[in-house]
Amino acid sequence: MGGIGKTTLTKKVYENELVNGHFDCCVWITVSQPYNVSKILMSMTKQIYQAKETTLRQINMANEITLISQLRKCLQQKRYVVVFDEVWKIEFWEIMKHALPCNDRGSNIIITTRSDLIGVSCKESLFDQVHKLQPLSQDKGWELFCRKAFQIEFQRCCPRELVIMSMDIVKKCEGLPLAIVAIGGLLSTKEKVSLEWQKLHDSLKDYSISGSRLLWLCVAEGFIKGKKGKTLDDVTKEYLMELVHRNLVQVSFGEHDYEIYRMYRIHNLLHKIILSKAAELNFYQVLEAGDTTSLGKSRCLSIRDVRENVSRQFKLLKVLDFEDAPIDYLPQEVSNLFHLKHLSLKRTKVKILPKSVGRLQNLHTLNVVGTAVHELPIEIFRLYKLRLILAHSHDFEIKNTFYSMRGAKVHEGVGCLNDLQALSFIVANHSGVGLFEELGKLS
């Protein structure tokens, strides 16, 4: 992933005097994204020719095909090394390889990328190697952290009273050099006392999110646009797997309610960068206990304490996720959120779903999994846009997995919910044969 040292390591090799002296010409191109093929080809040509003014004018006027042809002709008789740093698209190499002849003179091409797929796709012979950089070991990470956090004081050694906390901070960096350098550099400016260290330590909280929850939230927020022949769920999964392949999102496996499922998380450093950018763009805001700051125009809000009437201030709210929150009832004001698409009370202490929930005309997802809600009000049949009803729970006193599952009671009429895609679970013997006839109407 970003910050593991791909560019740093490559630059160390590229700038080495022995390496420079071994090749006839050296080219370094930072690709990143988006990229312009013509500009990259021009930059390569200028670096190779070390062009004079007359040549520069000719290069700037040439088209892509001409530039590729010129590069091939020039490099055919040279031992060259070319670095393409930060490649994001497979298509990039498919174009660039035509400008770089295989001339049996010991030339080298180095590509750095975050994408496993690009690494594999660029291999064209058994001689091509993919070197996957590994995180630093705990010992190397600790050594780097001490060099950065204690640059001047304590002879680059950690004071005894800060050792345990510092080692835990290094562990949370997960061997990522950029994270260790950034956090070590930040702490180098702080007073070397436990209180300052504790503040930063507490801000590095690990959290994983299930794939299903992530998918529902993305769809409900409207982040994902549909593609022809594919559902929104399928498109969301495609995007998520692309982020995994690019090493921006990490996969782990979690277990809950006897199920093993995929969990997703991002590195602490990346999380901090995202939060900083989100706050800058008024996209996301966190309200701490006793916070009196203006709520502003943030699209997403995280509330760290239970607040009275907070929903009154967010008439346009689309997502309300109370998962694991310490609440035992659904605030009455929630029924006024006409634009709400996603309502989750998962693993809260809520016992009753109020009739007023029937006013949420745009609701797509209703999640009361793991609550004491054992009956869904008949008013939910007004919610014609519902796609998911998740209402099961477990009785953990019963050891048998099948019999420990509890569903919710629903009334006759569920067949009117034509958009429903998932119903998990309902009590089958509650409304007699009529319930099965209603279920038969759901396509």
Side-chain angles (χ1 to χ4, degrees):
M1 65 173 290
I4 203 164
K6 300 181 295 295
T7 302
T8 303
L9 178 60
T10 307
K11 230 178 181 65
K12 283 278 185 186
V13 176
Y14 179 81
E15 292 176 348
N16 184 279
E17 286 184 14
L18 286 173
V19 172
N20 268 254
H22 181 72
F23 293 97
D24 300 324
C25 59
C26 304
V27 175
W28 180 287
I29 299 291
T30 302
V31 181
S32 203
Q33 61 172 347
Y35 62 86
N36 183 301
V37 172
S38 293
K39 286 184 178 178
I40 288 173
L41 290 169
M42 284 178 193
S43 179
M44 290 172 65
T45 308
K46 289 171 185 176
Q47 289 184 54
I48 289 167
Y49 278 98
Q50 297 178 339
K52 298 176 182 177
E53 285 302 313
T54 52
T55 318
L56 281 174
R57 283 196 295 274
Q58 293 170 351
I59 292 169
N60 291 334
M61 291 174 67
N63 58 33
E64 286 180 19
I65 296 172
T66 305
L67 289 167
I68 288 173
S69 178
Q70 284 180 350
L71 283 167
R72 282 192 71 83
K73 187 177 178 181
C74 175
L75 294 174
Q76 193 68 53
Q77 304 303 320
K78 292 182 183 292
R79 180 191 289 159
Y80 61 85
V81 60
V82 176
V83 176
F84 294 121
D85 188 39
E86 277 292 295
V87 175
W88 287 83
K89 300 274 186 183
I90 292 173
E91 298 82 8
F92 175 83
W93 172 242
E94 291 301 315
I95 297 169
M96 289 300 153
K97 68 181 181 181
H98 297 297
L100 302 168
C102 184
N103 57 14
D104 296 325
R105 288 177 175 268
S107 297
N108 275 263
I109 302 161
I110 302 173
I111 293 171
T112 73
T113 180
R114 297 185 191 186
S115 170
D116 294 331
L117 294 177
I118 291 173
V120 172
S121 68
C122 289
K123 282 192 71 172
E124 299 196 344
S125 77
L126 293 172
F127 300 104
D128 297 336
Q129 299 294 320
V130 175
H131 178 60
K132 191 160 185 176
L133 279 179
Q134 299 301 317
L136 295 178
S137 65
Q138 184 74 3
D139 289 344
K140 289 291 182 184
W142 176 250
E143 184 184 325
L144 179 59
F145 174 80
C146 289
R147 282 214 316 266
K148 293 296 176 182
F150 311 106
Q151 295 175 35
I152 303 169
E153 309 134 293
F154 309 109
Q155 290 152 343
R156 295 191 174 184
C157 294
C158 182
R160 186 178 298 174
E161 63 273 17
L162 297 176
V163 167
I164 294 175
M165 209 179 306
S166 295
M167 290 190 84
D168 202 31
I169 288 171
V170 172
K171 188 177 179 182
K172 286 178 182 289
C173 290
E174 300 173 28
L176 193 71
L178 181 61
I180 296 169
V181 168
I183 290 170
L186 178 65
L187 287 171
S188 71
T189 65
K190 304 289 184 184
E191 197 176 349
K192 307 303 183 284
V193 293
S194 296
L195 184 62
E196 288 294 336
W197 250 240
Q198 189 72 50
K199 283 180 188 175
L200 185 117
H201 175 273
D202 293 345
S203 72
L204 299 174
K205 291 191 169 100
D206 292 322
Y207 184 80
S208 295
I209 185 169
S210 70
S212 56
R213 185 184 183 194
L214 185 59
L215 187 149
W216 298 331
L217 290 173
C218 287
V219 171
E221 284 282 12
F223 295 154
I224 310 298
K225 302 300 178 187
K227 289 183 180 179
K228 193 173 182 181
K230 293 183 179 179
T231 65
L232 284 174
D233 293 2
D234 290 336
V235 176
T236 306
K237 287 173 185 173
E238 281 182 11
Y239 288 151
L240 182 55
M241 290 317 298
E242 186 175 344
L243 291 172
V244 170
H245 288 313
R246 289 185 177 191
N247 292 295
L248 293 169
V249 170
Q250 299 163 345
V251 183
S252 60
F253 291 90
E255 184 177 357
H256 191 79
D257 290 0
Y258 304 104
E259 292 180 58
I260 295 175
Y261 48 86
R262 281 191 168 203
M263 302 289 287
Y264 299 91
R265 63 185 293 273
I266 53 178
H267 194 279
N268 272 311
L269 181 68
L270 187 59
H271 184 240
K272 280 188 169 296
I273 293 168
I274 290 171
L275 289 184
S276 173
K277 194 68 178 173
E280 182 186 317
L281 297 172
N282 279 328
F283 181 81
Y284 176 76
Q285 185 177 356
V286 178
L287 290 184
E288 303 283 358
D291 199 344
T292 57
T293 56
S294 167
L295 296 177
K297 298 179 181 178
S298 296
R299 177 166 174 165
C300 302
L301 180 71
S302 176
I303 303 170
R304 296 287 170 84
D305 66 325
V306 180
R307 289 165 174 259
E308 290 296 323
N309 305 327
V310 73
S311 56
R312 288 180 185 173
Q313 302 173 62
F314 296 95
K315 298 293 185 184
L316 302 178
L317 206 65
K318 290 182 179 179
V319 173
L320 196 54
D321 193 337
F322 286 111
E323 185 169 323
D324 293 314
I327 60 170
D328 51 18
Y329 70 95
L330 185 66
Q332 187 66 32
E333 296 84 3
V334 170
S335 62
N336 297 325
L337 301 173
F338 178 77
H339 298 279
L340 200 67
K341 290 186 176 182
H342 177 95
L343 176 61
S344 176
L345 298 166
K346 189 174 181 179
R347 292 196 297 271
T348 62
K349 295 179 181 178
V350 173
K351 299 180 180 67
I352 297 172
L353 207 57
K355 295 179 179 180
S356 58
V357 78
R359 294 167 60 185
L360 301 173
Q361 296 291 298
N362 288 294
L363 201 65
H364 287 187
T365 306
L366 177 62
N367 189 342
V368 290
V369 169
T371 67
V373 174
H374 297 313
E375 184 170 353
L376 301 178
I378 198 168
E379 285 75 13
I380 69 164
F381 299 148
R382 298 177 192 164
L383 309 180
Y384 298 115
K385 294 181 181 179
L386 269 176
R387 297 169 70 234
L388 299 166
I389 297 178
L390 307 172
H392 63 271
S393 58
H394 280 288
D395 185 342
F396 289 102
E397 292 182 5
I398 302 174
K399 291 185 179 179
N400 185 295
T401 306
F402 179 80
Y403 290 104
S404 72
M405 296 293 285
R406 276 185 182 167
K409 296 177 182 178
V410 296
H411 300 269
E412 281 192 48
V414 71
C416 70
L417 301 177
N418 294 320
D419 286 349
L420 206 62
Q421 294 180 15
L423 181 59
S424 172
F425 301 120
I426 58 170
V427 178
N429 61 357
H430 173 54
S431 299
V433 178
L435 176 61
F436 292 95
E437 290 175 351
E438 291 288 333
L439 292 175
K441 298 175 184 178
L442 301 174
S443 58

